[in-house]
Amino acid sequence: MEITTPTEELHQQMDSWKEEVNEVRSEVKMMRERLEQIALSKASRDVMTQVEHFENRLLRQREVADEMHHDIKQCAKKMANTPVTVIHDDRPIDDFQTIQHRMEIFQKLYMSLKEDFNHFMPVEV
């Protein structure tokens, strides 16, 4: 049995995801600032290697957040029947379920990054 969700609820969900993605962007910015403080200190080579590692992960997380935000907006436009031509073979935005699945992966990966970062930071700050 297939259950349909009213378009209004789907748009509310997508708005919620956009807010969540924006929160991730903000948190990533704060994490990068904390890393900069360590980078400017006279930390050991091992710590600096970890700093570089997290800088790379945070940079990629920001890129993915930007992609998700864009694709959520495009999916919302498509659901509103606004004619939009968007082709992303690597980032499908065809339907709500696809965006929902991608958002779940985005959330899991970000939580893993945040957990790793928080384990690193208290020791080094």
Side-chain angles (χ1 to χ4, degrees):
M1 183 168 109
E2 196 171 304
I3 299 173
T4 60
T5 305
T7 304
E8 176 73 22
E9 288 180 33
L10 296 177
H11 282 287
Q12 288 175 353
Q13 179 63 59
M14 286 190 280
D15 287 342
S16 172
W17 288 338
K18 284 191 281 187
E19 289 176 24
E20 184 175 347
V21 169
N22 284 332
E23 287 175 24
V24 167
R25 288 171 162 168
S26 178
E27 288 181 17
V28 165
K29 182 179 178 183
M30 287 187 291
M31 288 182 213
R32 291 187 74 195
E33 290 169 358
R34 291 176 67 192
L35 285 177
E36 285 177 20
Q37 293 173 348
I38 294 174
L40 295 173
S41 71
K42 296 188 189 255
S44 71
R45 184 173 177 89
D46 290 338
V47 170
M48 294 307 287
T49 300
Q50 284 290 89
V51 167
E52 183 178 355
H53 168 76
F54 280 108
E55 284 177 340
N56 291 336
R57 285 183 70 186
L58 292 171
L59 177 64
R60 181 61 187 135
Q61 184 67 46
R62 173 59 195 235
E63 291 170 350
V64 172
D66 290 346
E67 292 169 0
M68 282 301 304
H69 191 270
H70 175 267
D71 292 349
I72 290 167
K73 284 175 37 179
Q74 294 303 318
C75 185
K77 284 181 185 178
K78 185 174 183 175
M79 286 177 49
N81 294 326
T82 303
V84 176
T85 303
V86 180
I87 300 172
H88 292 292
D89 292 334
D90 60 331
R91 299 184 346 243
I93 60 168
D94 292 341
D95 56 40
F96 180 82
Q97 287 79 22
T98 301
I99 293 293
Q100 183 176 31
H101 177 71
R102 288 183 49 218
M103 190 64 190
E104 289 169 3
I105 293 169
F106 174 80
Q107 291 164 331
K108 288 177 187 175
L109 292 174
Y110 178 67
M111 292 310 295
S112 174
L113 168 62
K114 189 173 179 178
E115 183 178 310
D116 292 348
F117 183 83
N118 288 334
H119 279 97
F120 169 70
M121 288 307 289
V123 174
E124 303 307 330
V125 173

